[in-house]
Amino acid sequence: QTMAQEESDQVAFEEDMKECKIEQARRTSESKEKAAEEKRTVEKQRSMEASRKSVAGELEATEQYMKDLAPACFDGSSTYDERKVARDQEIEALKEAQELLRNQTKAGMTPPTEGPSFLQRRR
């Protein structure tokens, strides 16, 4: 009876050890998975923080640009009518210059070419 008891105790012990090893392997695997997940989460957090800093910088630059544009756009130093008159005068001056150039070309005259002209490139 003692030998039978010892054998059954030995079998129970081995069974318990087997279950413990299986549990230990499961926990080790779970620990590795959680460590990898933590690493991914930390990396994602760093990436998002860098992105947030970049976006915050862009936002600040955009807000400053808007602030700089506000006086010209909203307060405006000239009215629409003033800008329209100035634009019409500029168009008229350009038409006159174009007509002068056409007349010079028709008369066989060429504009003076002292020094580089506007269309010439320096090398």
Side-chain angles (χ1 to χ4, degrees):
Q1 181 182 16
T2 311
M3 289 296 264
Q5 182 66 34
E6 282 185 21
E7 283 182 24
S8 70
D9 287 346
Q10 183 66 28
V11 169
F13 173 77
E14 288 174 1
E15 190 66 33
D16 283 345
M17 289 303 290
K18 184 178 173 185
E19 288 175 12
C20 285
K21 286 183 180 182
I22 291 171
E23 181 66 18
Q24 183 181 14
R26 185 188 67 77
R27 288 185 181 192
T28 302
S29 173
E30 187 178 300
S31 174
K32 287 179 183 178
E33 289 173 7
K34 287 190 178 192
E37 182 180 346
E38 180 185 16
K39 184 178 179 182
R40 284 191 304 270
T41 303
V42 168
E43 188 60 38
K44 185 176 181 181
Q45 180 184 8
R46 285 186 190 139
S47 172
M48 292 180 103
E49 285 176 1
S51 177
R52 183 184 59 82
K53 286 179 184 177
S54 172
V55 169
E58 289 178 22
L59 175 63
E60 184 179 327
T62 302
E63 287 173 347
Q64 182 62 43
Y65 182 69
M66 290 292 290
K67 196 181 294 183
D68 292 344
L69 282 180
C73 291
F74 301 122
D75 302 336
S77 59
S78 61
T79 65
Y80 171 78
D81 292 330
E82 291 171 341
R83 290 191 306 269
K84 186 174 185 320
V85 167
R87 190 171 39 253
D88 289 342
Q89 288 173 349
E90 186 177 357
I91 290 172
E92 192 58 40
L94 288 171
K95 286 179 181 178
E96 288 177 24
Q98 189 177 26
E99 190 60 36
L100 281 172
L101 289 172
R102 278 193 193 130
N103 290 341
Q104 278 185 345
T105 305
K106 287 180 183 176
M109 298 171 55
T110 57
T113 57
E114 298 170 10
S117 77
F118 179 71
L119 299 176
Q120 290 178 336
R121 290 187 180 155
R122 282 191 173 167
R123 295 186 189 248

